[in-house]
Amino acid sequence: MVIACSDSRTDPSLILQCEPGEIFVVRNIANIVPPYEPDTMHHGVSSALEYAVKSLKVTNIIILGHSGCGGIKSLMGNKLAAEDEFITRWLSILDSVREKVLARFAMDGKEPCTEACSACEMEGIVHSMENLRSFPWVAEQVEKGNLHIFGWYFELKDGLLLGYNEDSDTFEPQHPSCLSSYN
Ligand SMILES: [Zn+2]
C-alpha cells in the first residue's frame, strides 16, 4: 500500500516503477494519515487503510512524501484558513509538526523558507507513520511482523528517493526499486 500526495508530479506507480496490480494507492493532499478516530465522521483514508490491512493483508505500507509540496507550503504559511472549507482542517493533522518546525526555523513573518518546508515535509511523513500505528489492527500486524511501515521522500528536482531510517532519525538515499525487494 502506498499513501502519496495528490500532486500530479508524484505518481507512485511511476516513481516505484510498478506494473498495474502491484500497489494499492491512496492519494490525498500532503500524503497524510489521520490518527485513529472511530467516530461517526466520514473517513476516506482510514477506510482504505482498513481494506488494505484487513482484506488485502498488505505486507508493506509506504508513506510517500515529496519536495515542493503545495499542501505543506500552505500549512507552513498558514495561508488558506480564511477562504477554504476543508483543506485547513485536513492539514491541521500536522499542526504539531508545523509548530515544531517553526520553532526551529525563524520565519520573521515572511514566507516559509525552503528548508523549513522540506523539514515539515519529512517530519510530516514520520508523523503519519506514527498515526498509522495508532490503528490497533495496524499496530497488531506490525507487532506480529506481518506488516512493515516505510517513510519515503521523493526529491522532485533530481528524482532522488530517500528512505526514513528510524535508528538515525534521518532520510537517506535509496534505490527506487520495486516493492518486490521488500517482501
Ligand atoms: Zn504534495
Side-chain angles (χ1 to χ4, degrees):
M1 179 183 196
V2 179
I3 298 161
C5 184
S6 299
D7 191 307
S8 59
R9 300 165 297 177
T10 60
D11 187 323
S13 300
L14 294 177
I15 294 171
L16 305 179
Q17 300 163 14
C18 284
E19 298 294 326
E22 280 193 282
I23 50 175
F24 182 72
V25 177
V26 172
R27 297 178 76 171
N28 63 50
I29 291 187
N31 45 269
I32 298 171
V33 175
Y36 176 65
E37 290 171 327
D39 52 29
T40 57
M41 306 302 278
H42 307 297
H43 295 284
V45 175
S46 304
S47 59
L49 182 63
E50 182 171 37
Y51 181 69
V53 173
K54 292 185 183 176
S55 299
L56 294 177
K57 301 190 191 307
V58 296
T59 50
N60 302 295
I61 301 177
I62 298 166
I63 314 283
L64 179 63
H66 69 102
S67 64
C69 184
I72 295 294
K73 195 176 178 192
S74 299
L75 171 74
M76 291 297 286
N78 216 6
K79 278 231 177 99
L80 293 161
E83 64 269 27
D84 83 86
E85 287 186 294
F86 299 104
I87 305 170
T88 299
R89 180 146 173 74
W90 173 249
L91 291 171
S92 73
I93 295 170
L94 296 182
D95 270 350
S96 62
V97 175
R98 175 178 180 271
E99 295 308 314
K100 213 166 82 179
V101 172
L102 284 181
R104 222 175 328 131
F105 294 86
M107 280 176 53
D108 306 324
K110 290 180 287 186
E111 287 280 305
C113 65
T114 311
E115 288 77 16
C117 285
S118 301
C120 190
E121 286 156 1
M122 290 183 185
E123 291 187 28
I125 294 170
V126 177
H127 190 76
S128 282
M129 292 170 77
E130 287 163 13
N131 281 348
L132 264 181
R133 296 188 194 99
S134 71
F135 290 76
W137 24 269
V138 169
E140 189 189 338
Q141 294 308 315
V142 169
E143 187 77 19
K144 285 180 179 167
N146 298 332
L147 179 60
H148 305 278
I149 295 172
F150 300 92
W152 288 2
Y153 183 80
F154 185 57
E155 188 67 66
L156 280 169
K157 227 173 13 185
D158 46 20
L160 195 68
L161 193 63
L162 307 176
Y164 179 65
N165 181 332
E166 219 147 339
D167 296 329
S168 61
D169 193 26
T170 55
F171 281 81
E172 299 165 352
Q174 63 173 44
H175 293 294
S177 53
C178 198
L179 297 177
S180 51
S181 57
Y182 287 91
N183 286 330

